[in-house]
Structure formats: structure tokens, C-alpha cells
Amino acid sequence: GTPSIPGTAEVAAKECSLCTSVIAQSIAGATREIAESVDAGADVIELRLDFLAMFNAERDLPKLLAACPVPAIVTYRPDWEGGKYTGPEEERLNVLRMAVALGAAFVDIELKAAEAFFSGPLPPSRQTQIFVSSHNYEVTPDSETLAALASSAWQ
């Protein structure tokens, strides 16, 4: 079978898990926030890469993942979906693919970018679970709209 990522089985077995987002602007600040969050009881850490200034994926992403003693969700949210990333889209997608290659427990990809993400190179035997997300900061969609979004995420 596929080897599991440390901590993911424990999180999946819980009825309720605590996740916190790390939104520091520096790697040092992010590693402090990770430690503080875990000490305070976080079961899962969301690494918001789009908040980091001077982020260098090859240098910084392995450090951040190594600093997480609990499963990590790697998120690199673009400005068009409410995040802070404003650079080239293919570069952002490659960073998220790198997170998969490095064995992140979870990667969050926006529904609007999912087709481009999955059409690129991914490790053939990956452990990472992929979240396909959609964000609407204006209104809460009705049940039919939510069902249509969920259906399109599976396609």
C-alpha cells in the first residue's frame, strides 16, 4: 500500500480537529507560529505561502514542512481568489506541485485552477491529498449552487 504521512491517520480518526493558518511574513515568523500553534493544540497547520515576503520555494518550502510536526495544508492563494499571490500562475502551480513532491499531507488548489494544476507533472505515487476549493466572500451560495460546484470539482 501507499505509505501514510505521519499524523494524517490520527487527524482522520478524530471527530473534530483544530486547524490554524500560519500567515507570517517571514520563514522565522512562520516557524514560530507553527510551534506556538502546535503547543496550543493545533492538529493541522495551514501554511499560507502567499503571506510570505521574499519566499523562495526551493529554499523555504522544505524548511516549513520539516517544521510541522503535524499534517500541513499547503496553500498559495492567488489574489483573484482572496489571497495575496500576484505572480505568474504557472510558477504558483509549480510550487504547489513541489509541495506534493515533498510529501505535504494536503495541498489546496482552487477550483478555477484545478484543470491547469492536474494537467502538469505530479509524482506518480503521491501521498498528498488534494483539496479543490472555491471561495465566495460575497454571499453563501444556495444548496443547488454548492452542489454544482462540488460536482464540477470531481470532473
Side-chain angles (χ1 to χ4, degrees):
T2 304
S4 67
I5 297 169
T8 54
E10 292 82 357
V11 169
K14 287 181 143 187
E15 285 188 34
C16 181
S17 296
L18 177 64
C19 177
T20 189
S21 296
V22 170
I23 58 170
Q25 293 184 357
S26 70
I27 299 303
T31 55
R32 275 193 308 276
E33 282 188 26
I34 290 166
E36 291 167 2
S37 298
V38 171
D39 288 346
D43 300 301
V44 179
I45 299 291
E46 180 186 28
L47 299 173
R48 285 295 302 267
L49 304 181
D50 51 301
F51 278 80
L52 291 166
M54 310 291 285
F55 176 65
N56 176 303
E58 290 182 6
R59 176 192 67 213
D60 300 331
L61 188 53
K63 288 180 190 175
L64 290 170
L65 290 171
C68 282
V70 298
I73 303 169
V74 177
T75 302
Y76 205 10
R77 188 82 63 228
D79 62 346
W80 48 263
E81 190 88 358
K84 296 191 174 289
Y85 181 78
T86 59
E89 181 66 358
E90 192 58 30
E91 187 175 307
R92 185 182 78 87
L93 296 177
N94 284 335
V95 169
L96 293 171
R97 291 180 190 116
M98 180 187 302
V100 173
L102 290 171
F106 308 98
V107 164
D108 181 340
I109 186 69
E110 299 75 22
L111 178 59
K112 293 175 186 174
E115 185 175 346
F117 175 78
F118 287 111
S119 69
L122 286 170
S125 59
R126 63 179 167 83
Q127 304 173 55
T128 304
Q129 295 181 39
I130 309 294
F131 295 161
V132 177
S133 62
S134 179
H135 305 86
N136 183 334
Y137 299 102
E138 305 293 317
V139 296
T140 300
D142 61 37
S143 297
E144 289 178 13
T145 303
L146 289 174
L149 282 170
S151 177
S152 66
W154 281 105
Q155 294 177 4

